[in-house]
Amino acid sequence: MKPYLAAAIQMTSKPDLEKNLAEAEELIELAVRRGAELIGLPENFAFLGKEEEKLSKAQEIAQKAEKFLKTMAQRFQITILGGGFPVPVKGDPSKAYNTALLVDPTGKELSRYQKVHLFDVDLPDGNTYQESSTVMPGTKLPDIYSSQDLGNLGLSICYDVRFPELYRHLSGQGVDVLFIPAAFTAFTGKDHWQILLQARAIENTCYIIAPAQTGNHYARRFSHGHAVIIDPWGLILDDAGQQPGMALAEIDPHRVKQVRQQMPSLQHRIFV
């Protein structure tokens, strides 16, 4: 693992596949110009609309999103994460998997994760979310992808951040960098987003790359924003705020080693 720059992209995706991919391409190119070698896109980067509409277009979204990720990786010679897009479930037209995909600079798929924890919540602001109505939960915990240059990379998606056992599973495999791409709601984000991300970084002594959605997507659907990169001590290295853009920061293997020496909590675990 070497020191390198990573970018967590922040978008305001809409129910418009082509427009979203065009916006994502602009932000990816900007991140590359600023030196990023590892880039993460948020959950629902390709399409953020009503669940029924997303499901009806899932096949098209899946095909175009996957092709887009591989094209961007090859064109810009980067490793890129598509932080969540629907992939139809074979034999069940009523459901899709919320899928994160990691692709290397040759366009090769490195890792694929199907979101396990689904967001079925009635919020006090009057919004109701029932992700399970159209999404099939994954059945496998994510594995790490071990890169000689980028370190051990682990995937997760949004609501997963509230379930620390998933990240303990990844830290048990030696993860150095955790991706937590999200479309975190504005209501929950203001209180929980940053503190949950910092907790995952601190307890697992690893970097967090958290791409995010921001602003108004359609009707009353608002996302919190604040895509961030966090170091293994829990320090916020960069925060994208509330406008489309990115958080950009260095991932430094020496910092991981330093923090794990200063706070060797992973070595002190009793109930493993």
Side-chain angles (χ1 to χ4, degrees), residues 50-149:
K50 293 180 179 179
E51 289 296 310
E52 311 77 50
E53 186 180 2
K54 182 174 71 175
L55 183 63
S56 70
K57 297 180 178 180
Q59 188 67 49
E60 180 188 7
I61 296 169
Q63 290 175 347
K64 291 187 176 180
E66 189 164 332
K67 181 180 179 181
F68 172 82
L69 293 171
K70 293 179 178 180
T71 299
M72 292 298 101
Q74 291 174 314
R75 179 182 300 169
F76 295 113
Q77 288 296 289
I78 53 170
T79 300
I80 188 168
L81 176 81
F85 58 93
V87 175
V89 176
K90 292 180 181 179
D92 187 352
S94 69
K95 294 290 176 70
Y97 290 111
N98 189 344
T99 305
L101 185 64
L102 185 68
V103 178
D104 79 2
T106 71
K108 177 185 175 183
E109 178 178 322
L110 300 175
S111 184
R112 180 180 292 252
Y113 165 65
Q114 296 167 338
K115 187 178 182 183
V116 171
H117 302 103
L118 303 185
F119 192 57
D120 291 355
V121 179
D122 296 321
L123 294 180
D125 66 353
N127 281 320
T128 294
Y129 300 88
Q130 196 72 24
E131 190 175 17
S132 66
S133 66
T134 58
V135 176
M136 180 76 74
T139 58
K140 292 176 58 179
L141 286 167
D143 294 319
I144 63 166
Y145 174 74
S146 184
S147 166
Q148 184 174 349
D149 290 333

Side-chain angles (χ1 to χ4, degrees), residues 200-241:
R200 300 295 85 85
I202 293 166
E203 69 196 8
N204 296 295
T205 54
C206 63
Y207 280 94
I208 301 289
I209 299 175
Q213 293 284 352
T214 191
N216 180 220
H217 308 286
Y218 65 91
R220 295 172 58 203
R221 178 67 165 94
F222 289 83
S223 290
H224 175 64
H226 294 281
V228 291
I229 298 179
I230 302 174
D231 90 344
W233 192 253
L235 300 177
I236 304 291
L237 300 180
D238 198 16
D239 184 329

Side-chain angles (χ1 to χ4, degrees), residues 38-55:
L38 179 64
I39 295 176
L41 294 170
E43 183 184 27
N44 299 325
F45 71 94
F47 188 92
L48 210 169
K50 293 180 179 179
E51 289 296 310
E52 311 77 50
E53 186 180 2
K54 182 174 71 175
L55 183 63

